[in-house]
Amino acid sequence: MAAQIWGSEKRARRRREISAKIAQMPELHDSKPLPFMTREEKIMESARKLTILTEKMGQIIDPTDPAELYHLNNEVLGLEGNPMALHGVMFIPALSAQASDEQQAKWLPRALRREIIGTYAQTELGHGTNLQNLETTATYDLATQEFVLHTPQITALKWWPGNLGKSSNYAVVVAHMIIKAKNYGPHPFMVQLRDEKTHEPLPGITIGDIGPKMAYNIVDNGFLGFNKYRIPRTNLLMRHTKVEADGTYIKPPHAKINYSAMVHVRAYMLTGQAIMLASALNIATRYSSVRRQGQIDKSQPEVKVLEYQTQQHRLFPSIARAYAFQFAGAETVKLYEHVLKEMKSGNVSLMADLHALTSGLKSVVTYQTGEGIEQARMACGGHGYSMASYISEIYGVAIGGCTYEGENMVMLLQLARYLVKSAALVKSGQSSKLGPLVAYLGVKSEPTSLIDRIPNSGFTEYVKTFQHVSKRQTLKAADMFFGLMEKGEKREIAWNKCSVELNRASRLHTRLFIVEAFVRRVNEIADIRIKEALTDLLHLHVNYELLDIASYALEDGFLSASQLDYIRDQVYLYLGKIRPNAVSLLDSWEFSDIELRSVLGRRDGNVYENLFKWAKSSPLNKTDVLSSVTQYLKPMMEKARL
Ligand SMILES: CCCCCCCC/C=C\CCCCC/C=C/C(=O)SCCNC(=O)CCNC(=O)[C@H](O)C(C)(C)COP(=O)(O)OP(=O)(O)OC[C@H]1O[C@@H](n2cnc3c(N)ncnc32)[C@H](O)[C@@H]1OP(=O)(O)O
Ligand SMILES: Cc1cc2nc3c(=O)[nH]c(=O)nc-3n(C[C@H](O)[C@H](O)[C@H](O)COP(=O)(O)OP(=O)(O)OC[C@H]3O[C@@H](n4cnc5c(N)ncnc54)[C@H](O)[C@@H]3O)c2cc1C
């Protein structure tokens, strides 16, 4: 199963080898539980481990393999981030995709050797979503052949970029490029922020940390202002766009090609989310098979809480989602790598499809991951609320994904633009022009679902039902939009008035893609036992998801009330079938205790003793009487006694 999850037997084996090596290297372990550290201590601890890793990485992993790097990162540095998180996730990908060969030769080896630390600085205090209204400017000075970066007012301060505040000395900065008073829109520039020897901010740069966040606090998300700060012309990233010495602008082959670093993260973060969901579920499911509370049959002893159907219903559909996200994420990464290769050689024809797909996926996956992790926390009762479970940190980090790389509603609307264009093709009889991801929009569906009517139909009838609801909602939302425009409404106003319906279409389309990715994967599996276990999970997935969106299929009679009852029964049936495999389905992800960082979710199940040990190690328990008591509470009580 681990081979299915991680892509191959070799990958699963390598992960095990890496975890085993790390287990033998105490210098790479947290020196005490992270929840007991202050933010400064955590940042220091992370930097300590990071530098050891830089020295010893080659002994542990193949540093050129991103999957090995990611695993090493999760084990040693953990999900709260590290001082170089953005360096790998965005700075290097931005340079790789957007810098010319010459620029790459100059900067990439230095970045890869970790001579310099970089980040991606785009969002500002006043604008994150609407890139056209970013306010930082890069004005070309013809006389000196330099760009002058400037922050015209407080809202133009860069705000949020990870590791910008304290760790990075370089950044890819996105600024509006102005040449001879003409604004060419947002473009990426390579900018040195700090002196390479002293790490002091360079003159003209104002920089710092934006303060503590809900989670992810090892990362120093930062602010940055420029006061007429000069950089050479050749620091504009020039793979696709060029500015010649005389100010001549050579436009890129696609207007949005400079957005590729965002698409990179949107594609890669899906499996990251799956891992966080599976981690939280691993903790909750293990704990649920240790925790005994109440009886189902009063004549029997107390049961493991995992025996309760409500507990299974809370956890198992999310186990199915974690697998589904991992499989859909793996497909998306493959597609992304393919499109990136094409883009580098000038073929930009697949960019719109990739953008639409990743926009929908990042939104649905992050939202459902958040839901699943929060349910996992509640499934652990009171102990889930303790930082000893570590679920709150996983939750905080995961739901950051609902916001970063494009706020979810906004990204769903990006997919909706693509769906509405596709709907227009269908309506104008040009269905043959539909891309493969939306081809179903042009296919006539049956009048009613045949779920429960065709024995052994596999998942075909389910997929058809998802296709039906997605198609119907897309055409309905598009009709609403076109109808408003026909009535004379301006395009943007009409769009806004339909946006809830449009986003519903985007979610349904994305959920269909996830179901199909899961079906594709299960169909490929040769090993009978693995196929059986995953088929059960897929049954739960399709039935649970369909129940969740049933209103769309009920309202036009595609599904009947009796079919709904059948689907509900299937959910209950598969909850029971999955119960014996539940812990194994999560143990198969092979998270080590070091990586999980959870007292509740330990592999040995020794929860209570370790919770007590953990509590005793709380810094508050170093003394029996705190100074807050001697200084304030004790005098108060004494005064009251007089
Ligand atoms: C093994 C490795 C594993 C790695 C694992 C990684 C896991 C990571 C985990 C943790 C890391 C945490 C790190 C967090 C880092 C966070 C970073 C950031 O957040 S960076 C900032 C991100 N910001 C955004 O995403 C901003 C969102 N806004 C936008 O993207 C845009 O403004 C917009 C909403 C898309 C609109 O853009 P714009 O105003 O320029 O658009 P319009 O002029 O209106 O044009 C719209 C048309 O453009 C098309 N379009 C838009 N984007 C793209 C694109 N990327 N590609 C192709 N086409 C695009 C769009 O479709 C419209 O087309 P038409 O409909 O008009 O045809
Ligand atoms: C943990 C974290 C890490 C980050 N790291 C980085 C980084 O490394 N580099 C970087 O540059 N940035 C980073 N960001 C910033 C992030 O990319 C932005 O916060 C994000 O893109 C959302 O933009 P915003 O904050 O402007 O939200 P807003 O756009 O202000 O969103 C507020 C509300 O307005 C709604 N809204 C906005 N526009 C529309 C619209 N057109 N239609 C409908 N609704 C709309 C949204 O749906 C939302 O409900 C990070 C953010 C977080 C939380």
Side-chain angles (χ1 to χ4, degrees):
M1 190 63 93
Q4 280 303 326
I5 295 167
W6 301 112
S8 68
E9 274 181 25
K10 183 179 166 222
R11 281 231 174 287
R13 193 185 62 247
R14 282 295 297 146
R15 279 178 54 87
R16 258 170 247 148
E17 287 166 2
I18 292 165
S19 299
K21 278 188 196 162
I22 294 166
Q24 300 305 316
M25 300 172 82
E27 68 275 28
L28 290 179
H29 304 171
D30 301 340
S31 56
K32 61 179 172 183
L34 293 176
F36 292 145
M37 294 187 201
T38 64
R39 185 168 178 225
E40 285 82 352
E41 282 171 336
K42 284 187 196 180
I43 291 172
M44 183 70 95
E45 172 78 346
S46 184
R48 177 188 73 75
K49 289 185 289 183
L50 185 92
T51 48
I52 300 174
L53 271 189
T54 306
E55 291 292 315
K56 300 194 174 169
M57 187 153 19
Q59 299 165 26
I60 312 171
I61 60 160
D62 167 5
T64 62
D65 184 331
E68 293 199 5
L69 256 172
Y70 190 54
H71 179 50
L72 180 72
N73 177 76
N74 284 350
E75 283 262 352
V76 178
L77 300 170
L79 47 79
E80 296 187 46
N82 67 80
M84 290 183 73
L86 265 286
H87 184 81
V89 169
M90 287 198 90
F91 180 64
I92 289 178
L95 291 179
S96 305
Q98 292 164 21
S100 66
D101 289 344
E102 201 181 322
Q103 290 176 321
Q104 286 189 11
K106 186 171 165 194
W107 296 316
L108 261 184
R110 298 196 73 208
L112 290 167
R113 280 196 302 269
R114 301 185 167 189
E115 266 179 49
I116 59 173
I117 302 177
T119 182
Y120 184 81
Q122 179 175 287
T123 306
E124 296 174 356
L125 190 50
H127 292 90
T129 294
N130 184 5
L131 301 180
Q132 302 305 329
N133 276 25
L134 292 177
E135 296 173 276
T136 305
T137 49
T139 308
Y140 188 55
D141 181 346
L142 208 67
T144 59
Q145 293 186 28
E146 289 170 319
F147 282 104
V148 184
L149 289 169
H150 192 58
T151 304
Q153 55 189 338
I154 193 165
T155 48
L157 283 171
K158 292 293 170 195
W159 198 274
W160 270 114
N163 307 127
L164 172 68
K166 296 289 163 187
S167 309
S168 300
N169 52 5
Y170 281 79
V172 168
V173 173
V174 177
H176 274 272
M177 185 164 70
I178 298 166
I179 306 171
K180 296 177 191 164
K182 180 171 174 189
N183 188 338
Y184 289 88
H187 282 77
F189 297 86
M190 173 71 162
V191 182
Q192 182 174 356
L193 306 171
R194 291 172 179 270
D195 184 282
E196 283 195 25
K197 286 208 178 87
T198 63
H199 204 67
E200 291 293 336
L202 291 169
I205 301 267
T206 305
I207 197 164
D209 173 67
I210 63 168
K213 304 161 299 259
M214 189 171 166
Y216 206 46
N217 275 308
I218 297 182
V219 175
D220 46 317
N221 292 78
F223 62 79
L224 167 67
F226 297 105
N227 184 8
K228 302 198 174 120
Y229 183 77
R230 289 175 170 268
I231 55 170
R233 170 183 64 90
T234 49
N235 278 30
L236 165 70
L237 299 191
M238 295 220 212
R239 175 152 222 102
H240 308 291
T241 313
K242 288 182 185 52
V243 169
E244 290 175 350
D246 64 357
T248 305
Y249 177 77
I250 299 163
K251 68 174 193 180
H254 188 290
K256 308 299 175 193
I257 204 159
N258 289 330
Y259 292 179
S260 70
M262 290 183 274
V263 181
H264 170 91
V265 183
R266 287 173 200 149
Y268 272 94
M269 65 191 275
L270 306 172
T271 49
Q273 292 277 323
I275 290 171
M276 287 189 268
L277 179 55
S279 304
L281 291 164
N282 200 4
I283 294 164
T285 308
R286 280 181 180 169
Y287 174 67
S288 299
S289 62
V290 169
R291 179 73 161 181
R292 288 181 183 270
Q293 186 105 242
Q295 290 130 303
I296 294 174
D297 176 344
K298 290 287 173 211
S299 67
Q300 297 298 313
E302 283 198 300
V303 294
K304 296 173 178 175
V305 293
L306 198 54
E307 305 307 344
Y308 292 114
Q309 193 185 48
T310 46
Q311 188 81 347
Q312 296 169 4
H313 192 248
R314 195 168 223 181
L315 296 172
F316 297 176
S318 290
I319 302 181
R321 282 183 177 174
Y323 274 85
F325 299 163
Q326 184 75 349
F327 299 151
E331 280 193 9
T332 310
V333 164
K334 259 192 207 152
L335 179 67
Y336 166 79
E337 293 298 342
H338 171 67
V339 177
L340 183 71
K341 210 163 129 204
E342 292 292 306
M343 258 165 58
K344 281 184 175 170
S345 55
N347 174 12
V348 292
S349 62
L350 291 171
M351 272 179 59
D353 301 66
L354 179 68
H355 171 57
L357 177 70
T358 49
S359 297
L361 280 171
K362 85 73 82 174
S363 306
V364 170
V365 167
T366 55
Y367 183 77
Q368 294 189 344
T369 294
E371 275 186 333
I373 298 173
E374 177 58 352
Q375 283 299 325
R377 179 191 71 76
M378 290 191 262
C380 296
H383 297 319
Y385 195 71
S386 163
M387 288 294 285
S389 78
Y390 207 58
I391 297 180
S392 64
E393 184 65 39
I394 302 176
Y395 178 71
V397 174
I399 59 159
C402 297
T403 307
Y404 65 65
E405 292 313 345
E407 208 288 320
N408 277 355
M409 294 295 166
V410 175
M411 298 325 287
L412 287 169
L413 286 168
Q414 286 292 302
L415 167 57
R417 288 170 78 117
Y418 181 86
L419 291 177
V420 166
K421 276 190 199 166
S422 306
L425 286 177
V426 174
K427 285 173 189 297
S428 59
Q430 301 179 78
S431 297
S432 61
K433 289 190 182 160
L434 292 169
L437 294 174
V438 279
Y440 70 94
L441 294 176
V443 177
K444 199 171 174 315
S445 76
E446 282 128 10
T448 53
S449 170
L450 299 178
I451 282 178
D452 82 342
R453 312 265 156 90
I454 305 184
N456 305 323
S457 68
F459 296 101
T460 312
E461 295 309 319
Y462 283 90
V463 170
K464 281 186 186 166
T465 307
F466 280 100
Q467 286 177 337
H468 174 82
V469 290
S470 176
K471 175 182 167 182
R472 194 167 148 268
Q473 179 63 21
T474 296
L475 298 183
K476 189 174 151 191
D479 274 346
M480 191 176 164
F481 171 60
F482 294 135
L484 283 173
M485 284 205 299
E486 273 162 27
K487 282 190 194 141
E489 203 78 88
K490 269 174 71 180
R491 190 178 180 86
E492 294 76 14
I493 305 292
W495 185 261
N496 191 38
K497 285 187 174 168
C498 304
S499 52
V500 172
E501 290 302 319
L502 288 164
N503 275 1
R504 289 190 169 138
S506 293
R507 286 191 199 95
L508 290 171
H509 170 79
T510 306
R511 291 174 80 161
L512 163 67
F513 177 86
I514 294 168
V515 164
E516 287 182 310
F518 201 161
V519 173
R520 276 193 289 273
R521 175 61 75 92
V522 168
N523 285 342
E524 281 168 11
I525 297 172
D527 184 299
I528 292 292
R529 284 170 316 150
I530 299 294
K531 195 177 184 115
E532 218 173 84
L534 280 182
T535 303
D536 285 348
L537 212 50
L538 179 53
H539 273 292
L540 178 64
H541 186 66
V542 291
N543 284 292
Y544 181 87
E545 301 297 317
L546 203 47
L547 208 52
D548 199 40
I549 57 164
S551 64
Y552 293 97
L554 287 171
E555 61 191 8
D556 70 337
F558 192 71
L559 272 185
S560 66
S562 73
Q563 282 175 314
L564 206 63
D565 282 339
Y566 170 81
I567 292 167
R568 224 176 256 127
D569 285 345
Q570 292 289 49
V571 168
Y572 305 140
L573 174 73
Y574 281 97
L575 289 180
K577 277 199 169 193
I578 286 162
R579 164 64 189 99
N581 275 339
V583 174
S584 307
L585 281 166
L586 291 158
D587 281 353
S588 297
W589 292 67
E590 299 187 338
F591 301 122
S592 69
D593 284 345
I594 291 178
E595 178 173 0
L596 277 187
R597 293 175 166 82
S598 169
V599 180
L600 283 195
R602 290 163 54 103
R603 188 169 274 270
D604 65 10
N606 213 351
V607 171
Y608 297 120
E609 275 165 36
N610 283 298
L611 265 179
F612 190 36
K613 212 163 115 193
W614 193 84
K616 283 194 286 192
S617 71
S618 165
L620 288 192
N621 292 327
K622 269 192 188 147
T623 56
D624 277 333
V625 182
L626 289 182
S627 48
S628 60
V629 174
T630 39
Q631 218 172 311
Y632 296 108
L633 304 185
K634 201 161 146 275
M636 177 193 76
M637 292 188 284
E638 280 165 359
K639 203 169 154 193
R641 273 185 223 124
L642 287 176

